[in-house]
Structure formats: structure tokens, C-alpha cells
Amino acid sequence: CREYQSAMEGLESSCGFGDQIIPQCKEVSRFLEARTGFRLRPVAGLLGSRDFLNGLAFRVFFSTQYIRHSSRPEYTPEPDICHELIGHAPMFADVAFAEMSQEIGLASLGASDAEIELLARCYWHSVEFGLVREGGELKAYGAGLLSSPGEIRYALESGQPEYRHWSAEEASEQVFPITDYQPVYFVADSILEGKEKIRLFAKGLQRPFYARYNAMTKRIWVDRAVQRKALE
């Protein structure tokens, strides 16, 4: 999508993106924070859905640091630095996409385990594997597609998958495979539409409080007192 192409130009000129080096997360994080306030925070491995989504509420993206094995350069069963920097980082430089991701994170604060699963599916079908209609053509904005030369061709050229118009409610109920190409892709008319529909979906969740992010203090504001249950 055009947002990705625009951000990649900036990453190439500012952070050394290219085929000769692996860019440093610190430099990429500095670039993103200047654009949208998002920061990369390195982690050694995968996090649970709740911890990962909670980070998005604070405009923090937990990034792996290892790189896939050279014997299979086009595939990895787990996200690696190629997936993070080629797939995710450019899109986090776009304001609308960053806000859409943060809406999912804010909704995860105080959510039940069942609601976390719904939000994780929304995340998967948008931030990871979302498509957008641009000039009458389908374009990729999800990181799982942008970092996979095999799946981006499958999604856009094979004619095999099913395409559905973006609906956060429907996406939250759509199960997905994690070791194969996706059978269903959700298509938004724009990233702004994607953000707005996620915001409305999150608003309908029965949460114990309503949370917003203060960009100046990098803290979360809630609209009511949060009570902690005593441990027995």
C-alpha cells in the first residue's frame, strides 16, 4: 500500500534499510517515535496475547531480535527480525495505522480472557494480514503479508483465498491457521476505515473501565477507579 512505500523510503534514508545490513532496532525505534510515538521494545521470544496487546496501548511494539535460519529464507514459523522490520516497522510510521493498532491495545486493558481472544483475532486479520483497496486494486498492509514474498503473491495473485469486507466483529470470530497461508483475507476501503471499525467494536466490549492514552506523559488515563482483587 502507499503508506508502506512512503515509510520504507524514510527507513531506507534514515535507518540504513537495504540488503547489506540488518538495521538496528534503536535507530528504527527513534524514527518511529518521531513519526507516530510508537517505540520498539526488544524481547527474546514470543509473548502471550494479553501482554503483547497491552503494550500496544502504550504505543510499544515488542520486537524479536533473532533472524530466521538461512536454510529457509522465505519462511519462519515464528516472527523474526525480518518480519518485524520489513513487515511491521514501516506501517507503524503511518499515523492512522498506529492509531488503529493502539485501539486494539487500549481495548485489551482490563479485558476478559474471552475478549482478549476476540481482539487477538482482530489484530491478526488487520495488523498481520489485512488488505486495503487502493485505486480499485487490492494492496497489502498487514505485516504477515509484507514480510512474506510467498504469501503476498498467494493473497493477491492466486485467486484462491476468500475476500471479505473488513468487519471487526466478523474478524473477531474468524479462526485462522498459523502455519499455512490464510484462507480468508479481510479488505478495508482504507486504513482509516479499519481504525474506525476497530474503535467502534472495542467500544461495545463490556470493559471494567474506559482507557485513553496521554501522549505527553506516555501514561494511560481511565475513567473510573480500578479495584484490585485480594489474593487468597
Side-chain angles (χ1 to χ4, degrees), residues 3-8 11 17 28 31-32 35 83-94 97 146:
E3 293 85 353
Y4 179 86
Q5 294 182 33
S6 175
M8 185 59 79
L11 288 165
F17 269 51
V28 178
F31 174 87
L32 296 179
R35 292 286 191 96
H83 174 74
E84 312 290 39
L85 296 188
I86 296 174
H88 282 294
M91 291 307 303
F92 278 117
D94 179 72
F97 180 89
L146 295 168

Side-chain angles (χ1 to χ4, degrees), residues 53-213:
L53 295 180
N54 283 179
L56 297 177
F58 294 85
R59 296 187 185 175
V60 169
F61 179 77
F62 293 108
S63 172
T64 57
Q65 301 174 82
Y66 49 84
I67 191 166
R68 65 193 65 185
H69 196 273
S70 59
S71 64
R72 302 194 67 185
E74 291 199 1
Y75 176 77
T76 173
E78 297 179 347
D80 71 338
I81 197 66
C82 293
H83 174 74
E84 312 290 39
L85 296 188
I86 296 174
H88 282 294
M91 291 307 303
F92 278 117
D94 179 72
V95 173
F97 180 89
E99 291 176 348
M100 179 177 72
S101 303
Q102 188 177 27
E103 287 290 348
I104 299 176
L106 289 168
S108 75
L109 300 177
S112 66
D113 289 344
E115 289 168 337
I116 289 292
E117 186 172 353
L118 297 179
L119 291 167
R121 290 174 185 162
C122 278
Y123 176 90
W124 183 270
H125 293 297
S126 56
V127 177
E128 289 289 355
F129 290 97
L131 296 175
V132 65
R133 201 170 299 280
E134 184 180 291
E137 296 182 329
L138 295 182
K139 300 289 184 177
Y141 76 87
L145 294 172
L146 295 168
S147 61
S148 171
E151 185 156 5
I152 197 170
R153 289 192 293 267
Y154 164 81
L156 299 177
E157 298 176 357
S158 71
Q160 297 181 41
E162 176 186 351
Y163 303 108
R164 299 179 189 173
H165 189 68
W166 170 243
S167 164
E169 289 81 2
E170 189 174 345
S172 72
E173 300 290 344
Q174 179 64 43
V175 296
F176 52 84
I178 60 174
T179 59
D180 201 357
Y181 292 164
Q182 301 301 300
V184 176
Y185 295 99
F186 286 86
V187 184
D189 289 334
S190 67
I191 294 177
L192 285 172
E193 181 201 32
K195 180 189 77 170
E196 183 61 17
K197 288 190 174 181
I198 284 178
R199 187 187 69 81
L200 292 175
F201 172 72
K203 191 174 181 180
L205 298 178
Q206 299 300 312
R207 289 178 287 170
F209 53 82
Y210 183 73
R212 297 313 301 170
Y213 178 72

